[in-house]
Amino acid sequence: ICVGAAGFYIWGVLRLRKRGDKWPIARTASWMFGLALLAYITNGAPNVYGEYLFSVHMLAHMILTMGVPVLLVPGAPVTLLLRASEARKDDSRGLREWVLWAVHTPWATLVSNPIFAAINFAASLVLFYFTPLFAWSTKDHLGHEWMIVHFLLAGYLFVQSLIGIDPVKTRYPYPFRLIQLLAAMTVHAFFGLGIMSSENLMLADWFGAMGRTWGSTPLEDQQAGGAIAWSVGE
């Protein structure tokens, strides 16, 4: 998926250049670095050790939700796609027309709204770790893939509402965006501190029952994960 997204992006940039238009190199670099980070988080060491260490899982989760979107959003993939695609003049729908339709659907309008994006970003974190969803994503491959997609999109929509370039129906002024950011930071701080101070092991039948003899104890590792959530969130 990451390789395909990179190739599709390069196709758009080359198509613009062939037409004589320019596309900022910084946007291309940001998109590529974001995809490289996403590929590493989902295929490299964090994905392996996250099965055994809650702290590594949390680090990967925070980077997936906040680090990767901060790189992908400035790449402005929708804007590139709209500029690279030819507009049809025969009332039929090509790639450009379908993208414009998708951007203006009621569903897209809802999920791209800054208020919804902020609530989804903050609430998903709490609901995920304090409901059976966490166990499902840990023990079931389908749940794991759902976790990756959901939190990547949640982070992307949140960052898009703050610094996005792509077209959206609702975009609030900078003072509101600052309040939105501070509110999300507050939720992350309470979430991280709550895990840091907890004496109850989350998913004890998994992290506490695998017989791991190396590293810190499961509870100490969980508390380290809370510190990671707090610090990366800030």
Side-chain angles (χ1 to χ4, degrees), residues 1-11 28-44 47 64 68-69 71-72 77 145 148-149 152:
I1 291 173
C2 291
V3 171
F8 199 64
Y9 195 94
I10 292 173
W11 168 83
T28 303
S30 184
W31 179 260
M32 295 303 169
F33 278 123
L35 289 178
L37 184 59
L38 175 61
Y40 176 68
I41 290 298
T42 54
N43 296 276
N47 190 54
L64 178 71
V68 173
L71 292 170
L72 292 182
E145 297 303 315
I148 293 173
V149 173
L152 179 63

Side-chain angles (χ1 to χ4, degrees), residues 55-110:
S55 59
V56 177
H57 160 84
M58 184 60 72
L59 178 62
H61 191 162
M62 293 297 103
I63 296 176
L64 178 71
T65 309
M66 290 177 285
V68 173
V70 168
L71 292 170
L72 292 182
V73 167
V78 176
T79 300
L80 175 63
L81 187 58
L82 290 175
R83 289 186 57 187
S85 305
E86 296 291 341
R88 294 192 178 185
K89 300 178 181 179
D90 57 357
D91 293 330
S92 64
R93 284 186 175 181
L95 182 60
R96 189 175 190 276
E97 287 72 25
W98 280 112
V99 171
L100 284 172
W101 171 83
V103 168
H104 292 93
T105 58
W107 174 250
T109 301
L110 171 65

Side-chain angles (χ1 to χ4, degrees), residues 143-183:
H144 183 71
E145 297 303 315
W146 169 86
M147 178 195 73
I148 293 173
V149 173
H150 174 78
F151 282 100
L152 179 63
L153 289 177
Y156 189 96
L157 291 170
F158 179 69
V159 175
Q160 168 69 20
S161 69
L162 293 174
I163 61 171
I165 304 167
D166 285 333
V168 291
K169 189 171 183 178
T170 305
R171 191 180 298 281
Y172 291 129
Y174 288 109
F176 181 89
R177 298 187 210 179
L178 181 59
I179 295 173
Q180 178 185 350
L181 178 61
L182 292 174

